[in-house]
Amino acid sequence: MRKKDKKAENDIIEVLTEACDEALSSIADFRWLSHELDYGNIQQSLTVRCVFDPDADLKAIASSAEGLALKQLIRDKLRSVGYLPGNNMNWIEFELDTPRGKRKSSASERKVH
């Protein structure tokens, strides 16, 4: 990993950890978030996954004011360190937590909190 990539990763982890902490204290059923990216093209490849309690109504969360506020929070945090993949926020995904071992993580995915 190049020095520039390491700095980008550290910046992204720092602001996503802040967003995660804020979400944990304000959004019901929110559990944690993770991200994955390709260092060769961070702006186009960054994906953030917001994970919720397995019993949560994911459709309701995604269309709620809380869901929109969470996406905006993540976007604003990333913008503060110069990383913003796009305005449509399709790069932010919501999913339910699954039992340990059910979902495989890619090598570049990192659990933030």
Side-chain angles (χ1 to χ4, degrees), residues 47 71 86-93:
T47 301
K71 288 182 176 185
N87 288 330
N88 63 14
M89 294 194 270
N90 289 339
W91 49 273
I92 302 173
E93 302 172 355

Side-chain angles (χ1 to χ4, degrees), residues 3 13 21 25-26 30 37 39 41 50 65 81-82 84 91 112:
K3 192 173 186 176
I13 288 172
D21 289 342
S25 66
S26 64
F30 177 79
L37 55 89
Y39 292 111
N41 191 2
C50 301
V81 292
L84 184 59
W91 49 273
V112 173

Side-chain angles (χ1 to χ4, degrees), residues 7-8 28 40-41 52 54-56 59 64 70 74 77 82 85 99-100 104 111:
K7 177 166 178 12
N41 191 2
F52 294 86
D55 298 324
K59 248 185 177 172
S64 71
L70 177 56
I74 292 167
K77 292 287 187 181
R100 190 173 192 88
K104 291 185 179 179
K111 185 173 177 179

